[in-house]
Amino acid sequence: MIHAAILVLEQCHASSAGGFADILQVANAHLRRQQGADAVQFGWRFVAFSDRPVTASNGLQLQVHKLEPGERYDLVFIPGLHYEGRARFDRLLERQAEACAWLAAQWRAGAWIAANCTGTFVLAQTGLLDGRTATTTWWLERQFRARYPEVALQLRSVVTESERMVCAGASASYLLQAIRVVERFAGPAVAAQTARSLLIDVSQTSQVPYLPLLAERTHADSLVLRAQHWLQRNMARELRISELAAALAVSDRTLIRRFKAALEQTPLSYLQDLRLEAARRLLETGDQGMDAIAGQVGYTDTSSFARLFRQRVGMSPGTYRSRFRFDSAP
């Protein structure tokens, strides 16, 4: 038996906690089919540090097994936790000292640990990820880096693996993460059958197409804010930095310096990101051809637009449209 513990913490996502167990259950079915009734299968418990039911973030009551001293598991899964703002989330993390000590002990005893979405913060809180590769939900990148500067955070991959620790991005990535875990314990054939049974697309290995090009950075520089609004209004035109500076009645040097200080990029790189984000929206919701889309966002050369799009988004405009387009209901 492969003993798995699903660590149910306050405000966890019931979908990832229960969904992870569902995937192990399907994997067991394929193990029995491929290897017979005597196959080594997954067994799991929803565990906590008391025997009281835990309320998930959506209000669902989860029945749990109270952890006892000396219990050892082969696999521990940390579901994502609901995020209610930085201050509340920080307080939630500070209450996890017992969980962190237990996780560290399990890993040192040989367990694999899988942490999903904001659950990666709990794993990082143990110190086990220091100096190791990890990922997390993309929209909390800055917070994660600030809190855990020793972790080698990288957001390109949906799932990362480092020394028996498997981290995954935003909540639904537990699907790919669970398939990775099944592969590690039961082999690629069972993992592939499990993924096919559940229609899990294991080719979605990169987070890059999901990452926003325009980082949401708040600042108090009124000049930069005016520059951003001007660029948004004039995005489709051929622009020079001198034209923008003249419109704002400042020098090129002052504009670039203030822009870098507020947004950590130049006005022209911001314009490029602005255009590509607009192109993404058009690809997701419209049916215009590539020439029309390129022209609408300010590129006269469609080939250059497509090449830049692939570099920044990780796939061609056509592939992006086929994967992310929202078709209206008939």
Side-chain angles (χ1 to χ4, degrees), residues 31 57 101 105 120 124 138 159 168 207 216 219 244 257 324 328:
L31 277 165
S57 62
T120 57
W138 61 263
V159 178
Q207 293 193 77
E216 294 184 9
H219 62 85
L244 173 58
R257 176 176 55 80
F324 293 100
S328 301

PDB file of all heavy atoms in Angstrom, residues 31 57 101 105 120 124 138 159 168 207 216 219 244 257 324 328:
ATOM      1  N   LEU A  31      -4.396   0.364 -11.920  1.00  0.00           N
ATOM      2  CA  LEU A  31      -3.413  -0.554 -11.351  1.00  0.00           C
ATOM      3  C   LEU A  31      -3.971  -1.976 -11.281  1.00  0.00           C
ATOM      4  O   LEU A  31      -3.278  -2.949 -11.621  1.00  0.00           O
ATOM      5  CB  LEU A  31      -3.009  -0.079  -9.948  1.00  0.00           C
ATOM      6  CG  LEU A  31      -1.939   1.009  -9.888  1.00  0.00           C
ATOM      7  CD1 LEU A  31      -1.894   1.656  -8.510  1.00  0.00           C
ATOM      8  CD2 LEU A  31      -0.569   0.423 -10.243  1.00  0.00           C
ATOM      9  N   SER A  57     -12.903  26.117   2.408  1.00  0.00           N
ATOM     10  CA  SER A  57     -13.189  27.512   2.085  1.00  0.00           C
ATOM     11  C   SER A  57     -14.580  27.718   1.507  1.00  0.00           C
ATOM     12  O   SER A  57     -15.145  28.803   1.612  1.00  0.00           O
ATOM     13  CB  SER A  57     -12.140  28.038   1.099  1.00  0.00           C
ATOM     14  OG  SER A  57     -12.181  27.305  -0.112  1.00  0.00           O
ATOM     15  N   ALA A 101       6.276  21.634  11.096  1.00  0.00           N
ATOM     16  CA  ALA A 101       7.162  20.680  11.771  1.00  0.00           C
ATOM     17  C   ALA A 101       6.843  19.252  11.336  1.00  0.00           C
ATOM     18  O   ALA A 101       7.751  18.436  11.102  1.00  0.00           O
ATOM     19  CB  ALA A 101       7.021  20.833  13.282  1.00  0.00           C
ATOM     20  N   ALA A 105       9.273  16.600   9.169  1.00  0.00           N
ATOM     21  CA  ALA A 105       9.578  15.271   9.692  1.00  0.00           C
ATOM     22  C   ALA A 105       9.207  14.186   8.694  1.00  0.00           C
ATOM     23  O   ALA A 105       9.953  13.202   8.508  1.00  0.00           O
ATOM     24  CB  ALA A 105       8.852  15.054  11.023  1.00  0.00           C
ATOM     25  N   THR A 120       1.743  25.882  -1.569  1.00  0.00           N
ATOM     26  CA  THR A 120       3.197  25.953  -1.694  1.00  0.00           C
ATOM     27  C   THR A 120       3.797  26.904  -0.668  1.00  0.00           C
ATOM     28  O   THR A 120       4.963  26.754  -0.292  1.00  0.00           O
ATOM     29  CB  THR A 120       3.597  26.399  -3.110  1.00  0.00           C
ATOM     30  OG1 THR A 120       2.975  27.657  -3.394  1.00  0.00           O
ATOM     31  CG2 THR A 120       3.154  25.389  -4.158  1.00  0.00           C
ATOM     32  N   ALA A 124       6.924  26.078   1.686  1.00  0.00           N
ATOM     33  CA  ALA A 124       8.057  26.993   1.769  1.00  0.00           C
ATOM     34  C   ALA A 124       8.303  27.437   3.209  1.00  0.00           C
ATOM     35  O   ALA A 124       9.446  27.675   3.608  1.00  0.00           O
ATOM     36  CB  ALA A 124       7.820  28.208   0.883  1.00  0.00           C
ATOM     37  N   TRP A 138       0.562  32.080 -10.138  1.00  0.00           N
ATOM     38  CA  TRP A 138       1.300  33.186 -10.749  1.00  0.00           C
ATOM     39  C   TRP A 138       0.955  34.539 -10.148  1.00  0.00           C
ATOM     40  O   TRP A 138       1.800  35.421 -10.052  1.00  0.00           O
ATOM     41  CB  TRP A 138       1.074  33.192 -12.268  1.00  0.00           C
ATOM     42  CG  TRP A 138      -0.358  33.366 -12.702  1.00  0.00           C
ATOM     43  CD1 TRP A 138      -1.226  32.375 -13.049  1.00  0.00           C
ATOM     44  CD2 TRP A 138      -1.088  34.589 -12.839  1.00  0.00           C
ATOM     45  NE1 TRP A 138      -2.452  32.896 -13.383  1.00  0.00           N
ATOM     46  CE2 TRP A 138      -2.393  34.253 -13.270  1.00  0.00           C
ATOM     47  CE3 TRP A 138      -0.765  35.928 -12.646  1.00  0.00           C
ATOM     48  CZ2 TRP A 138      -3.367  35.216 -13.501  1.00  0.00           C
ATOM     49  CZ3 TRP A 138      -1.745  36.904 -12.867  1.00  0.00           C
ATOM     50  CH2 TRP A 138      -3.025  36.535 -13.302  1.00  0.00           C
ATOM     51  N   VAL A 159       4.137  22.466 -13.199  1.00  0.00           N
ATOM     52  CA  VAL A 159       4.542  21.586 -12.092  1.00  0.00           C
ATOM     53  C   VAL A 159       6.062  21.549 -12.027  1.00  0.00           C
ATOM     54  O   VAL A 159       6.727  21.433 -13.058  1.00  0.00           O
ATOM     55  CB  VAL A 159       3.993  20.158 -12.284  1.00  0.00           C
ATOM     56  CG1 VAL A 159       4.462  19.241 -11.158  1.00  0.00           C
ATOM     57  CG2 VAL A 159       2.472  20.165 -12.350  1.00  0.00           C
ATOM     58  N   ALA A 168       2.918  22.909  -7.622  1.00  0.00           N
ATOM     59  CA  ALA A 168       2.091  23.204  -8.787  1.00  0.00           C
ATOM     60  C   ALA A 168       1.522  24.610  -8.690  1.00  0.00           C
ATOM     61  O   ALA A 168       1.440  25.190  -7.602  1.00  0.00           O
ATOM     62  CB  ALA A 168       0.962  22.181  -8.914  1.00  0.00           C
ATOM     63  N   GLN A 207       3.108  27.442 -17.861  1.00  0.00           N
ATOM     64  CA  GLN A 207       2.199  28.481 -17.389  1.00  0.00           C
ATOM     65  C   GLN A 207       2.295  29.753 -18.226  1.00  0.00           C
ATOM     66  O   GLN A 207       1.484  30.650 -18.063  1.00  0.00           O
ATOM     67  CB  GLN A 207       2.519  28.857 -15.933  1.00  0.00           C
ATOM     68  CG  GLN A 207       2.249  27.780 -14.916  1.00  0.00           C
ATOM     69  CD  GLN A 207       2.284  28.325 -13.496  1.00  0.00           C
ATOM     70  OE1 GLN A 207       1.334  28.970 -13.047  1.00  0.00           O
ATOM     71  NE2 GLN A 207       3.376  28.081 -12.786  1.00  0.00           N
ATOM     72  N   GLU A 216       0.415  43.878 -12.527  1.00  0.00           N
ATOM     73  CA  GLU A 216      -0.426  44.816 -11.776  1.00  0.00           C
ATOM     74  C   GLU A 216       0.410  45.429 -10.652  1.00  0.00           C
ATOM     75  O   GLU A 216       0.508  44.892  -9.559  1.00  0.00           O
ATOM     76  CB  GLU A 216      -1.649  44.089 -11.211  1.00  0.00           C
ATOM     77  CG  GLU A 216      -2.590  43.586 -12.282  1.00  0.00           C
ATOM     78  CD  GLU A 216      -3.836  42.965 -11.704  1.00  0.00           C
ATOM     79  OE1 GLU A 216      -4.041  43.076 -10.477  1.00  0.00           O
ATOM     80  OE2 GLU A 216      -4.603  42.367 -12.464  1.00  0.00           O
ATOM     81  N   HIS A 219       1.289  52.269  -8.044  1.00  0.00           N
ATOM     82  CA  HIS A 219       2.288  53.310  -7.824  1.00  0.00           C
ATOM     83  C   HIS A 219       1.565  54.647  -7.671  1.00  0.00           C
ATOM     84  O   HIS A 219       0.379  54.772  -7.980  1.00  0.00           O
ATOM     85  CB  HIS A 219       3.294  53.363  -8.981  1.00  0.00           C
ATOM     86  CG  HIS A 219       2.676  53.709 -10.308  1.00  0.00           C
ATOM     87  ND1 HIS A 219       2.456  54.998 -10.718  1.00  0.00           N
ATOM     88  CD2 HIS A 219       2.201  52.920 -11.309  1.00  0.00           C
ATOM     89  CE1 HIS A 219       1.908  55.004 -11.913  1.00  0.00           C
ATOM     90  NE2 HIS A 219       1.724  53.745 -12.303  1.00  0.00           N
ATOM     91  N   LEU A 244       5.735  60.752 -26.930  1.00  0.00           N
ATOM     92  CA  LEU A 244       5.083  60.600 -25.632  1.00  0.00           C
ATOM     93  C   LEU A 244       5.615  61.624 -24.647  1.00  0.00           C
ATOM     94  O   LEU A 244       4.839  62.245 -23.910  1.00  0.00           O
ATOM     95  CB  LEU A 244       5.324  59.184 -25.104  1.00  0.00           C
ATOM     96  CG  LEU A 244       4.859  58.887 -23.675  1.00  0.00           C
ATOM     97  CD1 LEU A 244       3.368  59.148 -23.508  1.00  0.00           C
ATOM     98  CD2 LEU A 244       5.199  57.442 -23.304  1.00  0.00           C
ATOM     99  N   ARG A 257      13.199  57.450 -16.777  1.00  0.00           N
ATOM    100  CA  ARG A 257      13.606  57.241 -15.385  1.00  0.00           C
ATOM    101  C   ARG A 257      12.411  57.020 -14.482  1.00  0.00           C
ATOM    102  O   ARG A 257      12.376  56.098 -13.659  1.00  0.00           O
ATOM    103  CB  ARG A 257      14.422  58.444 -14.903  1.00  0.00           C
ATOM    104  CG  ARG A 257      14.809  58.376 -13.428  1.00  0.00           C
ATOM    105  CD  ARG A 257      15.695  59.546 -13.038  1.00  0.00           C
ATOM    106  NE  ARG A 257      15.090  60.821 -13.368  1.00  0.00           N
ATOM    107  CZ  ARG A 257      14.148  61.420 -12.622  1.00  0.00           C
ATOM    108  NH1 ARG A 257      13.709  60.831 -11.512  1.00  0.00           N
ATOM    109  NH2 ARG A 257      13.649  62.595 -12.978  1.00  0.00           N
ATOM    110  N   PHE A 324      -7.568  29.014 -26.345  1.00  0.00           N
ATOM    111  CA  PHE A 324      -8.184  29.901 -25.379  1.00  0.00           C
ATOM    112  C   PHE A 324      -9.435  30.652 -25.885  1.00  0.00           C
ATOM    113  O   PHE A 324     -10.021  31.422 -25.136  1.00  0.00           O
ATOM    114  CB  PHE A 324      -7.163  30.949 -24.898  1.00  0.00           C
ATOM    115  CG  PHE A 324      -6.044  30.367 -24.095  1.00  0.00           C
ATOM    116  CD1 PHE A 324      -4.806  30.125 -24.676  1.00  0.00           C
ATOM    117  CD2 PHE A 324      -6.221  30.029 -22.761  1.00  0.00           C
ATOM    118  CE1 PHE A 324      -3.768  29.583 -23.953  1.00  0.00           C
ATOM    119  CE2 PHE A 324      -5.182  29.480 -22.022  1.00  0.00           C
ATOM    120  CZ  PHE A 324      -3.953  29.257 -22.628  1.00  0.00           C
ATOM    121  N   SER A 328     -19.187  31.643 -28.369  1.00  0.00           N
ATOM    122  CA  SER A 328     -20.519  31.928 -27.852  1.00  0.00           C
ATOM    123  C   SER A 328     -21.422  30.717 -28.008  1.00  0.00           C
ATOM    124  O   SER A 328     -21.306  29.938 -28.963  1.00  0.00           O
ATOM    125  CB  SER A 328     -21.145  33.115 -28.599  1.00  0.00           C
ATOM    126  OG  SER A 328     -20.333  34.262 -28.446  1.00  0.00           O
TER     127      SER A 328
END
